[in-house]
């Protein structure tokens, strides 16, 4: 095995690259550049290549010193490496990203879905370290999830395993989810879902609230106002954590993981999120699973580059 | 490997034993005796041993011709083989059933949970044959389930994986489930749950119904009356299949199996169950999973003895 491995995370906002020592996957250097999404992502490949070349040069490394790069992209990746349409990258995708990059970088490239790589990074070096199984949930604009057991990500028959965001929560919902169905978890417990539920509550409830003074409401505003004991904001958080806690109890019924880990922007809300979430989880969980831990992700936004390094080492 | 394998299923009503040819697990002979549950199951071991000896003698076989027996019991089995309290066998259990039987039978014995063995039998020789993954649900007095991928049953951190019967379906339920929680799938969609929901409806709804003429209502009565277009019975089945279809849609979100298979007494109801169940499943399923098949179990009540034979061969 060559002495260095690269982990890369191509996101809607930034592209993160990390250089790892191969033998213990110690992170030697991390770098972040903005993602230029204009022109259907036409600059992504060249910006990424340039950034990696720059980073290698800074450390006086050559392509021949690199075992390979594991790269996460925000879209589905077929078994043969074809990257499908990436909605958050202005429609970038539809081609063999890995094969193309291998020619530009001169070392092997392995492409995978970014949420899966973040889960794998967290499993190997974060909150799942040393455990057999982990359920990882990303609470961001949407809700993603993945189940890992013994280092292997459960993908499922149609690549849909772990899609906790599209569990059906409400039977009577009239609004349609991004997936086309109605009543999905994502419509209530993602950042976007929480904001939409708060807006509906502000329209239907006449109670005074700090939220009425905020022109463009975000999930963070709602948690901040709940922390300041605003009644309506607290009701929103209570409703959201109840739904989420019950859904995670269903996850523990079906998958019974050693640990449940929450990543993504919303997971940074801290105790105001985790305290009621754990309470509702325990209320609904199958008795033997009541003690299953629900913890925030440890690696934060570096989980993806760690996961990238892990898949390269796994493929050695 | 020796030429014969035994598969045994110890149930609350009968004990089933099968003799299989080792090389292809072809079932040569099956036998069934009643389970005597009196005296905390004191006769189970001796009845079972006698039945097997009888069966072997009938085929002119000796213990040295048998590779081993895989035996399913209706309770939790710890990793070291200790069988825990079996509620449906008058509290039988609490001892190392396998070690004890090995002395009486003179060949190796492997003990496992009966629901898991039925799922494994169905996976290997029934509706899951040739597929990668299967979710198996038993719709009986209660609801059990298990997920198998590549021949391996997912057990989970606390042995609770696959416990679909205890997914939280209704947030407002006042009645308590057998597990101690409220609003579990089992309270609405098991044989017992369906009957209880029907009884509640008969009390709250004044509509005339054939169900009112049946002194001791069973799930089969409800399906039979629905088939005869009884309005209230049809409403019960509609409500039950909706809840079950949505719950299976959640299963396909989280596990995304190649196929979903329904076993147990209730699954024999046929189209009156499967038609609305598939319709509600499709309505709620994550789009890529809409086509996942929901099929009745093929092996019926022999799935358990097949599963017993499979674990013996796996352990060869």
């Amino acid at each position: 095995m060559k002495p260095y491995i690269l982990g890369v995370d191509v996101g809607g906002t930034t592209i993160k690259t990390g250089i790892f020592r191969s033998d213990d996957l110690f992170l030697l250097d991390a770098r972040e550049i903005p993602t230029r999404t204009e022109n259907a992502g036409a600059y992504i490949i060249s910006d990424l290549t340039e950034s990696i070349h720059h980073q290698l040069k800074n450390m006086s490394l050559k392509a021949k010193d690199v075992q390979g790069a594991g790269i996460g992209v925000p879209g589905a990746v077929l078994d043969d490496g074809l990257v499908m349409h990436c909605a958050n990258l202005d429609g970038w995708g539809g081609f063999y990203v890995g094969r193309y990059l291998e020619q530009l970088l001169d070392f092997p490239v392995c492409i995978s879905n970014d949420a899966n790589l973040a889960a794998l990074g967290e499993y190997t070096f974060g909150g799942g370290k040393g455990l057999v199984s982990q359920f990882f949930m990303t609470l961001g604009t949407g809700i993603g999830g993945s189940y890992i057991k013994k280092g292997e990500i459960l993908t499922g028959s149609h690549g849909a395993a772990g899609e906790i965001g599209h569990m059906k929560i409400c039977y009577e919902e009239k609004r349609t989810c991004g997936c086309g169905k109605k009543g999905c978890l994502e419509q209530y417990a993602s950042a976007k879902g929480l904001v939409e539920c708060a807006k509906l509550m502000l329209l239907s409830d006449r109670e005074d609230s700090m939220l009425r003074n905020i022109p463009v409401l975000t999930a963070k505003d709602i948690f901040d106002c709940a922390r300041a004991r605003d009644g309506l904001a607290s009701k929103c958080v209570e409703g959201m954590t109840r739904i989420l806690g019950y859904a995670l109890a269903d996850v523990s019924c079906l998958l019974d993981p050693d640990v449940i880990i929450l990543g993504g922007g919303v997971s940074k809300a801290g105790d105001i999120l985790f305290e009621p979430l754990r309470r509702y989880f325990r209320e609904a969980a199958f008795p033997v699973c009541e003690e299953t831990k629900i913890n925030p992700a440890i690696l934060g936004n570096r989980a993806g580059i760690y996961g990238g390094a892990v898949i390269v080492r796994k493929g050695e």
Side-chain angles (χ1 to χ4, degrees), chain A:
Chain A
M1 163 156 287
K2 294 172 179 177
Y4 301 97
I5 286 176
L6 264 73
V8 179
D9 187 1
V10 178
T13 315
T14 63
I15 295 170
K16 299 175 197 76
T17 50
I19 299 186
F20 295 82
R21 200 158 57 196
S22 294
D23 55 358
D24 57 357
L25 295 193
F26 182 81
L27 179 61
L28 298 164
D29 186 59
R31 191 178 145 94
E32 196 167 329
I33 57 169
T35 310
R36 289 197 285 160
T37 55
E38 53 264 41
N39 288 336
Y43 313 117
I44 289 175
I45 292 285
S46 52
D47 286 358
L48 169 57
T49 308
E50 195 183 307
S51 178
I52 288 176
H53 282 148
H54 185 84
Q55 200 174 7
L56 290 174
K57 198 174 165 190
N58 260 358
M59 291 180 67
S60 307
L61 300 178
K62 297 218 154 37
K64 67 174 175 51
D65 302 319
V66 178
Q67 178 69 20
I71 302 185
V73 295
V77 181
L78 301 190
D79 280 345
D80 68 351
L82 179 62
V83 174
M84 306 304 285
H85 181 93
C86 299
N88 291 332
L89 285 181
D90 200 19
W92 183 75
F95 66 105
Y96 289 93
V97 173
R99 295 184 196 168
Y100 195 70
L101 277 172
E102 278 179 351
Q103 294 170 3
L104 296 168
L105 292 172
D106 263 341
F107 46 74
V109 166
C110 178
I111 305 282
S112 190
N113 173 265
D114 58 349
N116 285 346
L117 286 193
L120 195 58
E122 195 67 32
Y123 175 81
T124 315
F125 292 102
K129 192 176 171 182
L131 299 178
V132 174
S133 62
Q134 163 196 289
F135 190 83
F136 184 81
M137 177 168 67
T138 329
L139 276 177
T141 313
I143 292 184
S146 75
Y147 172 76
I148 296 182
K149 189 183 167 189
K150 294 181 185 166
E152 198 193 334
I153 295 173
L154 181 68
T155 50
S157 186
H158 313 87
E163 281 288 0
I164 182 176
H166 300 283
M167 286 179 73
K168 192 175 183 78
I169 300 300
C170 177
Y171 288 15
E172 318 304 335
E173 184 59 72
K174 300 277 183 294
R175 299 174 298 144
T176 302
C177 177
C179 76
K181 304 291 167 110
K182 293 187 167 80
C184 295
L185 179 64
E186 195 166 285
Q187 292 184 276
Y188 313 97
S190 67
K192 197 170 159 224
L194 178 63
V195 167
E196 281 177 9
C197 290
K199 283 179 182 169
L200 289 174
M201 203 184 275
L202 287 167
L203 288 171
S204 66
D205 195 315
R206 307 193 64 177
E207 191 183 328
D208 193 29
S209 166
M210 291 155 68
L211 298 176
R212 297 195 193 277
N213 303 323
I214 303 170
V216 184
L217 208 56
T218 66
K220 186 173 179 305
D221 295 329
I222 297 168
F223 284 109
D224 288 345
C225 292
R227 214 176 278 112
R229 301 185 187 281
D230 179 88
L232 251 174
S234 300
K235 256 189 245 177
C236 289
V237 170
E238 199 67 17
M240 177 261 202
T241 52
R242 185 182 186 210
I243 285 173
L244 203 56
Y246 289 174
L248 289 176
D250 288 348
V251 167
S252 72
C253 262
L254 290 174
L255 292 163
D256 189 13
D258 287 341
V259 68
I260 295 169
I261 293 174
L262 267 61
V266 177
S267 72
K268 291 175 189 152
D271 286 349
I272 194 91
L273 168 71
F274 281 90
E275 187 280 318
L277 181 62
R278 290 178 183 133
R279 178 162 40 85
Y280 284 119
F281 173 81
R282 284 182 63 101
E283 185 194 311
F286 192 55
V288 294
C289 304
E290 278 177 9
E291 304 300 327
T292 299
K293 292 275 180 294
I294 303 179
N295 292 330
I298 292 174
L299 301 180
N301 63 15
R302 286 187 171 175
I305 59 171
Y306 272 96
V310 171
I311 53 162
V312 173
R313 203 176 56 175
K314 278 171 76 121
E316 69 190 64

